[in-house]
Amino acid sequence: MEVCYQLPVLPLDRPVPKHVLSRRGAISFSSSSSLFGAPDPRQLSQRRGAISYDSSDQTALYIRMLGACVVFNQLFARDVRVRSQVGFEPERRSSHPYLCIDFRTLHTRLYSGSASATSVPERRVHRLLSFQRYLHSSRLLRGIPQQIPLHILDEDYTGQARCMLEKVGSWNFDIFLFDKLTNGNSLITLTFHLLNQYGLVELFQLDMVKLWRFLVMVQEDYHSDNPYHNAVHAADVTQAMYCYLREPMLAKSLTSCDILLGLLAAATHDLGHPGVNQPFLIKTDHYLATLYRNTSVLENHHWKSAVGLLRETGLFSHLPTEDSLKMERQLGSLILATDISRQNEYLSKFRTHLEQEDLCLSNANHRHFILQMALKCADICNPCRPWELSKQWSEKVTEEFFQQGDIEKKHKLEVSPLCDKETNTVGNIQIGFMTYVVEPLFAEWARFSDTRLSQTMLGHLGLNKASWSGLQQEQTSGSEEAKPSVAGGGGGGGGAGPAAARARPDDATRGTSSKEIPQGSRKS
């Protein structure tokens, strides 16, 4: 029997220390073996994460992971099949849940001319391997010998990710660093951690395998090619949503069902985003625009995609049909609220409630409305992050806009506002977005929840806006100095240039629908 290198191998001629066998994830061989003075094998087999070798079946390794028993049968060089004793449905999508990973894929690549019937795209496998195995496989494929012990690097990165999760409620949480430490699996790791931290897995009796499979499929359905609307953005919104759920006004009023819906809505709010805005889909006669009749096209797509994954994985299949359908409807209501074209509608309603002081969080409808507002704030909170994080998000969303503008130019379409890189800059786009979209929303949120977090967000917002204004002035003065001084008309043109540049953010914002405003606005 040949075991692939990812699986741990122990020599059979020496005893294994008891402290190794007693910890979660330990390895034991043969319940009747006299080689090991191990604890009761029946206790080991019931422990989550335990791995045992059954002497009665010389071709199988039994791995207990997340409460499910999976049998890896016929572990030979080019023949690995996975079957589950819990009766999985066959995977019909392009994404691959962790239970269906072909661990031999990397080995088969080493043999020229080999063809594997179970081959999967290399990128799909890598995103589910640990950081250590990713580096190991990369070096093997490139033929570069390893220079450092990989297990040390792997443990180091995993430990740092765990340390970051201990401070997941901090507003300074660096989602970019966390994504690197988790090898591109920030959305899966973060969402699973938060659901488990709230005790929602046990409370709603969610199947651990189905939940993990659902999160893997959600992350895979985000387009990693999008500079902004990708899984990292979804993880960032989920982390922000968690910060809002911890606010005193919400923490003492929200039910467990509200928290579950809030976290799932944050994780799936941009699911399957194509990287272009709604006007682009409409003017190109995209099938999504036709399907949803040009109304909240992207938001409906995100909602229906999330519902499709819930049903495909059967995450809520154990609940009564009426309850699961209600949760799907409420999930859709939260996601649809992130439509930036309806910003004024929700903001006016929120302002009216605050002025009349009639918000009662013991009312289910009022709690749901506050969840909608919290998700809207989380979706466009990037300008309220510290400058080092906010600047990165600003550059990414602008890059995505300019990519759309390049596509429109290539196909001789009218370039959407704010998508022309020749007439717009990151700074003027961000200043307009902060002034007309972010500031009004977060000012009202601070009225509702006047806490340290709210004041921190408003403080960062003011500083970031001043930073972009300063950069704009530096760029304007630099361009003026670069121009040769020309008497008469040349001087007049130079004076008009800065004025036009200063006016452009306001004009661009007023002249376009709010749907096309960037920086955290989902459909920009």
Side-chain angles (χ1 to χ4, degrees):
M1 181 181 71
E2 179 181 351
V3 181
C4 54
Y5 72 85
Q6 287 93 342
L7 296 176
V9 179
L10 292 180
L12 298 179
D13 57 350
R14 68 178 62 178
V16 178
K18 290 185 177 181
H19 72 275
V20 174
L21 292 172
S22 61
R23 64 184 177 87
R24 196 176 80 177
I27 305 175
S28 63
F29 291 82
S30 178
S31 59
S32 61
S33 174
S34 60
L35 292 176
F36 306 100
D40 187 351
R42 289 174 294 180
Q43 297 178 359
L44 285 176
S45 64
Q46 297 299 322
R47 186 172 60 254
R48 189 177 71 181
I51 303 178
S52 61
Y53 178 82
D54 191 347
S55 59
S56 63
D57 184 356
Q58 298 294 328
T59 63
L61 283 174
Y62 292 85
I63 302 178
R64 295 193 63 84
M65 182 179 295
L66 303 176
C69 183
V70 183
V71 181
F72 284 75
N73 197 14
Q74 297 180 351
L75 288 175
F76 295 104
R78 303 181 187 179
D79 188 7
V80 174
R81 297 183 178 88
V82 181
R83 60 185 175 89
S84 171
Q85 292 183 352
V86 295
F88 259 129
E89 295 181 359
E91 179 59 47
R92 297 183 298 275
R93 306 174 68 261
S94 59
S95 59
H96 302 276
Y98 75 106
L99 286 177
C100 297
I101 301 174
D102 186 348
F103 290 100
R104 304 301 306 188
T105 301
L106 296 176
H107 281 271
T108 57
R109 289 176 60 87
L110 299 177
Y111 301 95
S112 58
S114 64
S116 174
T118 60
S119 62
V120 294
E122 177 184 346
R123 183 180 66 84
R124 302 291 188 184
V125 175
H126 279 183
R127 292 191 66 178
L128 297 176
L129 294 179
S130 71
F131 191 84
Q132 170 191 350
R133 294 167 183 168
Y134 179 84
L135 288 183
H136 194 180
S137 63
S138 299
R139 287 190 172 119
L140 285 176
L141 296 179
R142 294 196 305 261
I144 302 176
Q146 65 183 61
Q147 302 296 329
I148 57 176
L150 291 174
H151 65 277
I152 296 179
L153 183 62
D154 188 51
E155 292 175 358
D156 180 55
Y157 271 63
T158 304
Q160 291 185 55
R162 284 198 298 266
C163 289
M164 289 193 68
L165 284 176
E166 293 176 0
K167 301 180 180 180
V168 69
S170 170
W171 189 248
N172 299 332
F173 190 84
D174 190 342
I175 196 64
F176 298 108
L177 175 60
F178 185 72
D179 190 63
K180 293 178 182 178
L181 296 178
T182 56
N183 191 32
N185 292 306
S186 57
L187 181 58
I188 298 174
T189 309
L190 180 69
T191 308
F192 187 87
H193 172 78
L194 295 179
L195 293 174
N196 193 51
Q197 179 169 295
Y198 273 112
L200 300 174
V201 178
E202 293 79 9
L203 183 61
F204 288 92
Q205 299 181 348
L206 301 179
D207 186 284
M208 299 284 278
V209 175
K210 292 180 180 179
L211 174 60
W212 191 267
R213 183 173 181 234
F214 170 76
L215 294 177
V216 170
M217 294 166 74
V218 166
Q219 180 172 277
E220 287 295 326
D221 271 8
Y222 277 96
H223 299 177
S224 59
D225 295 336
N226 292 343
Y228 182 82
H229 290 104
N230 49 41
V232 183
H233 166 65
D236 182 65
V237 173
T238 304
Q239 190 271 337
M241 189 67 172
Y242 172 67
C243 292
Y244 299 151
L245 294 177
R246 297 177 65 206
E247 292 287 80
M249 290 283 292
L250 279 71
K252 66 182 181 181
S253 304
L254 295 180
T255 66
S256 298
C257 185
D258 295 330
I259 296 174
L260 176 63
L261 286 172
L263 293 176
L264 291 182
T268 60
H269 80 284
D270 270 334
L271 192 61
H273 196 291
V276 294
N277 58 18
Q278 175 174 296
F280 181 89
L281 298 178
I282 294 176
K283 67 184 177 183
T284 56
D285 294 327
H286 196 274
Y287 77 93
L288 288 177
T290 304
L291 179 62
Y292 299 114
R293 300 180 180 181
N294 300 341
T295 304
S296 298
V297 175
L298 290 170
E299 290 76 19
N300 275 292
H301 174 56
H302 306 324
W303 169 35
K304 298 300 183 181
S305 299
V307 170
L309 295 188
L310 285 173
R311 295 183 179 181
E312 184 172 348
T313 58
L315 184 61
F316 295 151
S317 60
H318 62 289
L319 300 177
T321 304
E322 182 179 351
D323 293 343
S324 61
L325 291 177
K326 180 180 179 181
M327 295 187 72
E328 290 177 359
R329 289 193 300 269
Q330 291 180 331
L331 181 68
S333 177
L334 292 175
I335 295 177
L336 290 174
T338 60
D339 186 350
I340 201 68
S341 66
R342 301 178 61 187
Q343 178 84 353
N344 291 335
E345 172 189 341
Y346 281 93
L347 188 57
S348 298
K349 184 178 179 181
F350 193 30
R351 186 178 291 118
T352 301
H353 278 303
L354 295 177
E355 291 173 351
Q356 297 178 356
E357 299 181 355
D358 60 351
L359 275 175
C360 179
L361 296 186
S362 60
N363 184 305
N365 293 330
H366 286 187
R367 289 200 310 271
H368 188 75
F369 175 71
I370 292 301
L371 276 180
Q372 290 177 321
M373 299 307 300
L375 183 57
K376 288 179 69 64
C377 289
D379 190 22
I380 62 173
C381 72
N382 303 145
C384 301
R385 296 282 192 179
W387 170 252
E388 294 76 12
L389 301 176
S390 178
K391 185 173 182 290
Q392 293 185 66
W393 286 119
S394 300
E395 293 169 346
K396 289 178 179 295
V397 73
T398 306
E399 178 186 355
E400 187 168 299
F401 276 161
F402 290 167
Q403 283 186 3
Q404 175 179 327
D406 292 340
I407 295 175
E408 291 169 332
K409 291 179 182 179
K410 179 180 178 181
H411 295 280
K412 302 187 184 306
L413 299 171
E414 181 183 358
V415 180
S416 301
L418 308 180
C419 294
D420 192 344
K421 60 185 176 183
E422 296 180 0
T423 59
N424 294 282
T425 64
V426 180
N428 64 37
I429 291 175
Q430 292 310 305
I431 292 172
F433 177 69
M434 294 178 185
T435 302
Y436 297 103
V437 179
V438 182
E439 285 182 352
L441 177 62
F442 280 87
E444 298 303 324
W445 180 263
R447 287 179 58 194
F448 165 72
S449 178
D450 188 10
T451 62
R452 182 178 179 179
L453 175 60
S454 297
Q455 298 306 317
T456 298
M457 292 189 296
L458 291 177
H460 284 312
L461 178 61
L463 292 174
N464 293 337
K465 185 176 179 181
S467 297
W468 283 118
S469 298
L471 290 177
Q472 283 292 99
Q473 292 178 1
E474 291 178 4
Q475 294 175 359
T476 302
S477 60
S479 61
E480 287 179 350
E481 293 176 359
K483 293 180 180 179
S485 58
V486 180
R502 288 192 297 270
R504 189 176 299 124
D506 300 344
D507 296 341
T509 307
R510 294 192 188 103
T512 61
S513 65
S514 58
K515 182 69 176 180
E516 299 163 352
I517 297 179
Q519 170 62 42
S521 65
R522 311 176 42 263
K523 304 309 166 280
S524 306

